[in-house]
């Protein structure tokens, strides 16, 4: 029997079920999701789902795409009915290895981590997976659609992710081109509508356009995630005014996603009143990722405190901080 598994032709002897295939490949069925001819196979049906000549099978898993003291006990972060202490969300890609990934996430204090969905390595199924280092029992995994350029690709990816881990809370991003990684907003809106109808709780990466952001919120997205600047650029917050307008325009959480390069960028985002910051490259590509993760944690906390405290008004002229009465003449 000839099959195509993860894009590779495979020849098997005799009839086989999904369970048989996973066993032959040495893959732990608890850590993966399986798709047969574009239809997801529920884990409960692995043993009874027979494969046939010519079937196309996809086997995917999550890849890299804490202790925390609250700033204020009553200032937790709420998204889709879930409450979190940390307002810093971090990605799991671009690190030198999974061990460094785990150490950086721990240092960041993040409770939500984004994960990409990729094909399982069939040539070495014993190769460590992200879940061996970053436990979904400790962190909330946020499956994302990194690398998707159409609504159909994004929806298919997240349906597989839900099957693999059982999570409905997801991050949607549909990219427009490989040069800027800017969001394709028509496709993003199309995917968001389909996912919300399918029962997903969608946190969505989008342009810093208040009108588009409000449209996504009206569709039922649980969080709006406008870019600060281009993904991986480290350019910081380029359009603070539009981010503030977005925050004022929607009733769901607003998190800056993409472009943060330094701790000061994260603090600026929080001082604007944003509910959180998602970043990856700024930590993973720092000379000392663990120390930078700690810096980002503190910056998000400092920026949040600054926003809550209320900054002093800006003035055009100097104002003395010492009293002018009682001066020695």
């Amino acid at each position: 029997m000839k099959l195509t598994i993860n894009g590779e032709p495979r020849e098997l002897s005799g009839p086989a079920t999904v369970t048989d295939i996973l066993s032959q490949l040495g893959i732990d069925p608890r850590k993966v999701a399986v798709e047969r001819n574009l239809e997801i196979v529920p884990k409960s049906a692995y043993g009874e789902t027979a494969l046939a000549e010519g079937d196309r099978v996809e086997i995917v898993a999550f890849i890299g795409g804490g202790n925390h003291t609250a700033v204020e006990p009553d200032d937790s972060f709420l998204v889709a009915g879930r409450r979190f202490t940390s307002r810093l969300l971090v990605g799991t890609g671009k690190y030198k290895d999974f061990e460094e990934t785990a150490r950086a996430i721990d240092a960041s204090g993040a409770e939500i981590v984004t994960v990409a969905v990729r094909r399982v390595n069939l040539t070495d199924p014993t190769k460590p997976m992200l879940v061996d280092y970053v436990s979904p029992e400790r962190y909330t995994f946020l499956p994302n659609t990194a690398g998707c350029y159409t609504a159909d690709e994004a929806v298919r990816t997240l349906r597989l992710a839900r099957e693999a881990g059982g999570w409905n809370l997801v991050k949607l991003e549909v990219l427009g081109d490989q040069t800027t990684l800017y969001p394709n907003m028509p496709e993003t809106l199309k995917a968001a509508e389909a996912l919300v109808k399918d029962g997903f709780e969608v946190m969505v990466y989008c342009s810093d356009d208040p009108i588009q952001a409000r449209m996504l919120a009206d569709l039922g997205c649980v969080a709006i995630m406008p870019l600060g600047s281009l993904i991986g650029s480290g350019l910081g917050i380029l359009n603070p005014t539009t981010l503030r307008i977005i925050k004022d325009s929607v009733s769901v959480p607003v998190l800056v996603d993409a472009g943060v390069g330094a701790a000061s960028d994260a603090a600026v985002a929080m001082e604007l009143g944003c509910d959180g910051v998602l970043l990856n490259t700024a930590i993973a590509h720092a000379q000392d990722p663990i120390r930078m993760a700690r810096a980002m944690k503190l910056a998000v906390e400092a920026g949040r405190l600054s926003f809550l405290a209320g900054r002093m008004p800006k003035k055009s002229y100097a104002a003395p901080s010492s009293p002018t009465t009682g001066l020695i003449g």
Side-chain angles (χ1 to χ4, degrees):
M1 180 172 61
K2 295 180 179 179
L3 305 173
T4 300
I5 304 178
N6 284 5
E8 301 175 4
R10 295 264 176 162
E11 189 163 349
L12 304 172
S13 57
T17 65
V18 170
T19 296
D20 295 331
I21 296 298
L22 294 177
S23 178
Q24 291 180 38
L25 294 172
I27 296 172
D28 186 341
R30 297 170 300 177
K31 296 181 179 180
V32 299
V34 177
E35 182 186 72
R36 172 178 174 265
N37 300 331
L38 301 181
E39 293 289 334
I40 292 174
V41 181
K43 291 183 186 292
S44 60
Y46 284 1
E48 59 193 52
T49 301
L51 300 174
E53 180 79 19
D55 278 354
R56 300 185 66 86
V57 179
E58 293 287 341
I59 306 172
V60 304
F62 295 124
I63 67 166
N67 293 330
H68 181 69
T69 301
V71 176
E72 293 188 358
D74 59 349
D75 187 41
S76 54
F77 168 53
L78 186 68
V79 60
R82 298 169 174 83
R83 195 169 295 277
F84 301 95
T85 300
S86 175
R87 291 174 179 269
L88 175 62
L89 291 68
V90 295
T92 50
K94 303 184 178 181
Y95 292 94
K96 67 179 182 181
D97 53 37
F98 285 145
E99 183 177 350
E100 183 179 73
T101 305
R103 291 177 60 213
I105 294 173
D106 181 68
S108 76
E111 296 164 299
I112 303 176
V113 297
T114 62
V115 292
V117 181
R118 294 292 185 270
R119 287 170 167 171
V120 169
N121 185 347
L122 300 180
T123 60
D124 186 7
T126 63
K127 188 176 181 179
M129 296 183 183
L130 177 67
V131 294
D132 298 321
Y133 291 83
V134 180
S135 172
E137 296 179 2
R138 179 180 179 185
Y139 300 100
T140 295
F141 275 24
L142 187 66
N144 68 22
T145 56
C148 291
Y149 289 84
T150 69
D152 289 343
E153 288 175 355
V155 171
R156 179 187 176 197
T157 296
L158 290 178
R159 284 174 176 163
L160 274 167
R162 182 164 62 182
E163 178 61 28
W167 300 290
N168 280 332
L169 184 64
V170 296
K171 182 198 168 188
L172 169 66
E173 59 181 73
V174 184
L175 304 177
D177 63 64
Q178 296 182 356
T179 302
T180 65
L181 300 182
Y182 209 77
N184 180 326
M185 292 309 302
E187 289 293 291
T188 297
L189 287 159
K190 178 181 175 183
E193 184 175 16
L195 290 167
V196 170
K197 287 182 178 178
D198 202 14
F200 285 92
E201 296 164 325
V202 182
M203 302 174 69
V204 55
Y205 167 68
C206 61
S207 61
D208 56 347
D209 180 337
I211 305 304
Q212 300 277 7
R214 191 163 63 242
M215 292 173 68
L216 288 166
D218 290 344
L219 282 174
C221 293
V222 299
I224 307 301
M225 307 177 75
L227 52 80
S229 54
L230 302 181
I231 292 175
S233 69
L235 291 173
I237 310 301
L238 297 184
N239 297 307
T241 300
T242 55
L243 293 179
R244 190 178 291 110
I245 293 173
I246 290 173
K247 177 59 183 172
D248 292 340
S249 300
V250 300
S251 59
V252 296
V254 175
L255 299 90
V256 168
D257 180 9
V260 169
S264 56
D265 299 329
V268 167
M270 297 305 296
E271 287 177 331
L272 291 172
C274 293
D275 296 282
V277 175
L278 171 62
L279 56 87
N280 185 181
T281 309
I283 295 177
H285 282 188
Q287 294 183 29
D288 186 336
I290 312 307
R291 184 171 289 176
M292 184 60 79
R294 171 75 173 164
M296 291 298 182
K297 170 182 182 292
L298 296 173
V300 167
E301 293 177 355
R304 178 65 178 171
L305 279 175
S306 177
F307 171 74
L308 293 176
R311 65 157 291 144
M312 61 169 284
K314 294 182 179 181
K315 300 179 180 180
S316 299
Y317 299 94
S321 56
S322 301
T324 56
T325 58
L327 290 175
I328 299 173

